[in-house]
Amino acid sequence: MKKFIKNFSRSLYYLNALVQVAVVSSVFVLCLKELFSHGNVPIDDHATILPLIIFSALFLFMTGTYDIMNKRSIELVITGVLAVLLSDLAAIVIIRTYSFIWFTLSDFVLTYLMQIAALSAWIAISRIIYRKFKKPQKAVVVCYDIENTDSYIKKIRGYSDKYEIIDIISYNDANLYYSICQSEAVFMLDLSSKKREKVAQYCLALNKNIYILPESYEISVRHCHLEQIDDIPFFSCKPLLLTLEQKLIKRFFDIVASAVALILTAPIMIVVAILIKKDDGGSVFYKQERITENYRKFNVLKFRTMVQNAEELSGATLSTKDDPRITKIGKKLRALRLDELPQLINIFIGDMSFVGPRPERDIFIQEYIKTVPEFIYRLNVKAGLTGLAQVRGKYNTTPQDKLKMDLLYINDYSFVNDLKICFLTVKVIFSKESTEGIDGEVNNKELFEAQQNKN
């Protein structure tokens, strides 16, 4: 069994998925039997149990709760909380329609909490089992300049249950190949394609696992297929664009979902507007010119979270950690992402999509493409309210790494992936790291104080 789990991680993934669905479904059914034990409740009816199994399997998958191998326990619990809530709500509607069973609010909350407790217990157990049988890989990090890769190394160390870094070595070090021999996995960072090729050949010969930090263009061409012209093999790569059918499906979803969301969030937006106005008497909304698909300009709409005319002195400046320009109510709105709600209007009228690369300002795009020309590829699709870079990265993730995630999104686009990103966005709201500002070069505190003194 130990050898089976060690060599077949995917089998562990599917086994864990089956157990999670069984735990969530069985607790629900047990509660249902207990709550309605004195009535004629068709517990065995397909319309009662089958919807719950289907919805729990779907939402646990969509939120990534199955993935115990690549996520921390707290992440899995948070995604599980969301998945179980959505599956229960969907299942209860179906059960009510076909079986005439209705939960009271107290019954629903009790059932839900018991499901979360059982799921959390299984997640803890499964993580213990995984760590017991799947020991951390002894890893070597190979790079050209260790100082430039320090942030990546810190993030790899954060997954100590998966990787144990035994050496960090320069490509030019004479002991490079000896170090690789002592490892089980090799991370290649900041190496040119030729250097990577040499290291990869050696790793393949020794059957070592390889982890390569890809360049932007490599992500763009990852879904190539082999095409032979005469006796010459070619890799055929599609352009980073959505097809007409994909655009139509995406637009239809945006119209319907944004219309529903606007109706549901209208009371929240009214309250937020009152709080902003009461806070400093300034304008409620904030408009800013951004760039979307095909370099088209539009005005993105947000709730104002900074002092009035915040960039009057500093000019176009990215928000930084502990930015003094952010108002008291603005900090709370940003933490909960409520400042983004007015962008539902941008989505409804077609300026933006629910999912896509976040819209940037023209001045920042011009700066980014000076050092990362591939940044322009983000504009091959419509800008989004959320995106892969938002659910997998942080607010202060570098533009280069955000670009790679945006290119991955475009290259792997599907409607199902859009739904998964939407669900995972809810999880991001509860992550403090995702709302942090960048540690920018411009000292916004000094600029803010100078502006206040000037006034």
Side-chain angles (χ1 to χ4, degrees):
M1 182 66 179
K2 180 177 179 180
K3 185 177 180 181
F4 175 81
I5 295 179
K6 182 178 180 180
N7 296 332
F8 300 98
S9 294
R10 295 304 294 176
S11 297
L12 182 61
Y13 174 89
Y14 291 120
L15 176 62
N16 175 60
L18 288 173
V19 175
Q20 285 190 10
V21 173
V23 167
V24 172
S25 302
S26 60
V27 172
F28 185 94
V29 171
L30 287 173
C31 289
L32 192 65
K33 285 184 175 181
E34 182 64 28
L35 292 170
F36 299 96
S37 58
H38 301 296
N40 183 21
V41 181
I43 299 298
D44 297 325
D45 192 89
H46 290 166
T48 303
I49 299 175
L50 190 59
L52 178 65
I53 295 175
I54 293 174
F55 287 126
S56 60
L58 174 64
F59 289 117
L60 287 168
F61 167 73
M62 297 291 281
T63 55
T65 311
Y66 296 151
D67 196 6
I68 62 168
M69 293 168 284
N70 296 311
K71 292 183 179 179
R72 298 180 178 90
S73 297
I74 186 62
E75 290 182 281
L76 296 172
V77 171
I78 291 173
T79 56
V81 166
L82 173 63
V84 174
L85 177 62
L86 293 173
S87 65
D88 282 2
L89 291 174
I92 285 174
V93 171
I94 300 296
I95 292 171
R96 171 62 178 171
T97 303
Y98 291 98
S99 299
F100 304 104
I101 302 171
W102 192 249
F103 278 61
T104 64
L105 180 59
S106 59
D107 290 340
F108 174 79
V109 171
L110 179 61
T111 301
Y112 177 64
L113 291 177
M114 291 182 67
Q115 286 177 294
I116 294 302
L119 181 62
S120 299
W122 168 248
I123 287 173
I125 293 170
S126 62
R127 291 282 294 174
I128 292 171
I129 294 173
Y130 174 72
R131 285 195 295 267
K132 181 178 180 180
F133 290 104
K134 189 70 174 179
K135 300 298 182 183
Q137 296 183 72
K138 294 182 179 179
V140 169
V141 177
V142 182
C143 51
Y144 185 75
D145 187 343
I146 293 176
E147 291 184 0
N148 290 339
T149 56
D150 186 58
S151 62
Y152 292 106
I153 294 170
K154 286 181 180 178
K155 291 176 181 179
I156 296 171
R157 289 189 189 279
Y159 290 82
S160 57
D161 59 332
K162 290 193 66 178
Y163 313 107
E164 178 190 352
I165 298 180
I166 60 174
D167 196 8
I168 301 171
I169 191 167
S170 170
Y171 174 83
N172 296 319
D173 195 301
N175 295 318
L176 172 63
Y177 296 110
Y178 173 78
S179 183
I180 292 176
C181 287
Q182 308 306 309
S183 70
E184 297 174 295
V186 176
F187 284 86
M188 286 189 272
L189 309 176
D190 194 32
L191 296 181
S192 66
S193 57
K194 288 187 177 180
K195 291 182 174 66
R196 280 188 296 176
E197 182 181 356
K198 289 183 179 180
V199 176
Q201 287 176 346
Y202 194 76
C203 292
L204 292 171
L206 295 173
N207 297 318
K208 306 294 183 182
N209 292 325
I210 306 172
Y211 297 87
I212 300 173
L213 184 65
E215 299 293 337
S216 299
Y217 84 91
E218 292 173 324
I219 293 175
S220 305
V221 299
R222 62 190 291 262
H223 285 312
C224 301
H225 68 271
L226 186 64
E227 187 170 321
Q228 186 162 327
I229 301 177
D230 203 324
D231 59 348
I232 306 173
F234 287 90
F235 277 125
S236 175
C237 309
K238 68 174 185 177
L240 281 174
L241 297 170
L242 302 187
T243 64
L244 177 61
E245 293 82 359
Q246 289 173 331
K247 288 183 177 181
L248 290 174
I249 292 172
K250 195 173 178 66
R251 182 61 187 140
F252 176 77
F253 173 76
D254 287 340
I255 292 173
V256 175
S258 61
V260 173
L262 280 169
I263 295 171
L264 295 177
T265 60
I268 299 174
M269 288 198 279
I270 292 172
V271 172
V272 169
I274 294 172
L275 291 174
I276 294 173
K277 197 69 178 177
K278 186 179 179 181
D279 185 46
D280 62 6
S283 59
V284 171
F285 296 105
Y286 174 67
K287 290 183 180 180
Q288 192 178 74
E289 188 179 83
R290 298 288 180 99
I291 307 298
T292 187
E293 186 180 18
N294 298 324
Y295 224 104
R296 182 171 65 83
K297 296 180 180 180
F298 75 101
N299 287 320
V300 70
L301 190 62
K302 290 186 176 186
F303 283 122
R304 183 174 59 84
T305 58
M306 288 189 175
V307 295
Q308 200 81 30
N309 303 317
E311 294 187 342
E312 188 176 277
L313 178 64
S314 63
T317 307
L318 289 172
S319 175
T320 61
K321 199 172 183 179
D322 300 322
D323 197 318
R325 300 174 299 170
I326 301 175
T327 62
K328 290 181 180 179
I329 185 65
K331 288 181 180 180
K332 296 177 181 178
L333 293 178
R334 287 190 173 206
L336 297 173
R337 299 297 178 95
L338 294 178
D339 60 316
E340 310 281 357
L341 283 179
Q343 290 173 55
L344 292 171
I345 298 172
N346 289 117
I347 295 172
F348 185 76
I349 64 178
D351 289 331
M352 295 172 60
S353 176
F354 258 104
V355 183
R358 285 295 292 158
E360 290 285 357
R361 300 171 67 174
D362 187 30
I363 187 171
F364 294 137
I365 292 175
Q366 294 301 323
E367 287 298 316
Y368 291 149
I369 61 178
K370 289 178 182 178
T371 54
V372 189
E374 297 90 349
F375 200 84
I376 197 70
Y377 299 156
R378 298 169 78 254
L379 303 179
N380 286 356
V381 298
K382 194 174 291 185
L385 176 63
T386 185
L388 193 63
Q390 281 63 53
V391 299
R392 289 192 179 177
K394 304 174 184 177
Y395 188 90
N396 54 2
T397 299
T398 65
Q400 291 86 346
D401 289 333
K402 282 186 177 181
L403 169 63
K404 290 175 184 178
M405 286 184 271
D406 286 332
L407 295 181
L408 277 170
Y409 165 74
I410 300 171
N411 201 262
D412 293 337
Y413 170 78
S414 71
F415 180 66
V416 172
N417 282 341
D418 270 11
L419 291 178
K420 288 179 69 175
I421 291 172
C422 288
F423 290 133
L424 290 173
T425 300
V426 179
K427 185 203 77 171
V428 171
I429 293 175
F430 299 98
S431 174
K432 182 180 178 181
E433 292 177 333
S434 66
T435 56
E436 290 176 354
I438 64 165
D439 293 322
E441 295 179 0
V442 180
N443 190 327
N444 284 334
K445 185 174 182 179
E446 292 180 1
L447 289 172
F448 180 75
E449 290 175 351
Q451 184 181 15
Q452 294 295 95
N453 293 333
K454 182 179 177 181
N455 294 337

